[in-house]
Amino acid sequence: MRNSRITFSALGLMAAAGLVLSGCAAADTETPDAGGSGEETFEVYALLPQGTDQPYGTTYLPPFEEAAAELGLNLTITNSQYDADAQASECEVAVAAQPDLIILWPAVGDTVRPCLAAANAAGIPVTVTNSDVNPEDKDLTEAYSGPDTYGQGVSSAEIMCDLADGEEFGILVVNGLTGNSTAINRNAGFVDTVEANCPNVTILAEQPGNWNKDDSQIAVSEMLTAVGPENVDGIYAADDTMVAGAIDALKARGIDPEPLYITSIGNTFLGNPLVVSGELDGTVFQSSSWDGENAARLAHAVLTGADYEENLFMPSVKVTAENADDPSVAPEW
């Protein structure tokens, strides 16, 4: 693995927490020199599954575009809206354009190999942002920057295990979009940690919530009917949007969410107030601005031949009632 000489900006608490790098030492936390940006420019296609049509994309894009402009990356940005076929078509256009590099945020993780193979055959390097590709496809990419999605699941499970404190209880699980690598990794991190650290917690049922509040409310309502509300002591949802739907499902049944053990991921504008109110026991901070900025900085490092880490992970900071009002974990999306 390459040793990091280039440095990556980690905003707010991220600078204090340090960059968690898979299998490697942490990078420096100072803002990197542009490395000659302005003298050399690069053509870069960014194949994204969302943009200003979603809250995360709305706050991801400005720091992404600002860092790219600083570093001399001329961006062509697409938005497939999580449509795998649309992203495949956008990839064909990108490869045909012969850019210097492609930044890929996979719409559906298990469908991107043809895109990666085409870019590889054309000699176009690919960096991945936000949601990593499947392990078997990693050899077709240069590097990844974004959340440690497995680690986020671990952190949410650790909150759940602390709440359980050895008590036997059953929970419902609301997963993300089926086939999405973030959903797969978060679920694996959560399940693995519960099995290892608190086997007294039993997963009674699980369904996808598709990153959608309404879908999640329906899913939790169906699971409550299937297992019996009296048997449900807690809920884990793979993001705050879905946990808000889960809490609405409880309320629709006349169930007070506060006595239940509920955890999530994101610490968003939707989730943070639920932590403050006590309806959500804990979530995991994710910075969209860190994500966008470092996607551009990693791409530039690859293009200029600077040393870089192959896995640049955003720290997974737990947010509970104790620190929910801390400015360093203030919601961004």
Side-chain angles (χ1 to χ4, degrees):
M1 185 168 291
R2 303 162 178 83
N3 294 319
S4 180
R5 289 199 300 266
I6 190 168
T7 55
F8 294 85
S9 174
L11 307 178
L13 178 64
M14 301 309 171
L19 297 177
V20 181
L21 301 168
S22 177
C24 303
D28 296 337
T29 54
E30 299 175 1
T31 303
D33 188 333
S37 63
E39 299 177 3
E40 186 175 14
T41 60
F42 303 94
E43 298 301 319
V44 174
Y45 265 73
L47 308 181
L48 312 183
Q50 61 170 274
T52 55
D53 55 327
Q54 295 201 33
Y56 195 88
T58 299
T59 50
Y60 172 104
L61 284 173
F64 177 49
E65 293 172 328
E66 182 179 345
E70 171 198 337
L71 297 168
L73 308 183
N74 296 326
L75 296 175
T76 300
I77 301 174
T78 67
N79 176 6
S80 69
Q81 298 183 324
Y82 287 97
D83 184 319
D85 291 336
Q87 190 169 75
S89 297
E90 291 161 1
C91 182
E92 290 180 2
V93 172
V95 171
Q98 288 290 301
D100 297 299
L101 181 140
I102 291 173
I103 299 173
L104 175 67
W105 177 346
V108 180
D110 57 7
T111 67
V112 298
R113 187 171 181 85
C115 173
L116 299 174
N120 187 66
I124 303 168
V126 177
T127 59
V128 184
T129 178
N130 183 270
S131 300
D132 206 357
V133 297
N134 292 337
E136 61 269 22
D137 298 329
K138 289 281 284 181
D139 62 332
L140 294 174
T141 66
E142 292 293 324
Y144 167 77
S145 67
D148 175 4
T149 49
Y150 182 90
Q152 289 177 321
V154 170
S155 293
S156 194
E158 287 174 345
I159 299 172
M160 182 69 76
C161 290
D162 287 344
L163 294 168
D165 194 25
E167 179 185 348
E168 298 281 344
F169 66 76
I171 66 170
L172 304 178
V173 170
V174 187
N175 294 318
L177 185 69
T178 301
N180 178 265
S181 61
T182 293
I184 293 168
N185 291 339
R186 285 181 180 175
N187 186 62
F190 183 85
V191 172
D192 289 350
T193 303
V194 166
E195 289 178 349
N197 295 2
C198 53
N200 48 299
V201 175
T202 301
I203 297 174
L204 303 174
E206 54 185 300
Q207 283 195 34
N210 305 319
W211 309 125
N212 182 278
K213 182 180 178 182
D214 292 339
D215 288 357
S216 300
Q217 181 172 350
I218 293 169
V220 170
S221 182
E222 290 175 348
M223 288 189 285
L224 286 169
T225 298
V227 306
E230 69 279 5
N231 297 313
V232 177
D233 303 294
I235 296 173
Y236 158 71
D239 82 348
D240 288 350
T241 300
M242 297 191 298
V243 90
I247 289 171
D248 284 349
L250 294 172
K251 292 178 177 178
R253 294 290 191 97
I255 302 170
D256 183 0
E258 288 196 42
L260 274 64
Y261 306 111
I262 304 176
T263 69
S264 180
I265 294 170
N267 195 47
T268 66
F269 287 121
L270 193 56
N272 184 266
L274 295 173
V275 177
V276 173
S277 72
E279 294 173 295
L280 175 60
D281 292 289
T283 184
V284 181
F285 180 51
Q286 179 167 324
S287 170
S288 51
S289 60
W290 186 103
D291 207 2
E293 178 180 346
N294 283 287
R297 295 196 180 280
L298 180 61
H300 183 259
V302 171
L303 285 165
T304 57
D307 290 342
Y308 57 90
E309 299 294 343
E310 292 176 1
N311 291 290
L312 178 61
F313 287 141
M314 180 191 306
S316 297
V317 182
K318 298 173 187 175
V319 179
T320 65
E322 294 181 356
N323 66 335
D325 292 326
D326 192 319
S328 65
V329 292
E332 295 183 4
W333 54 288

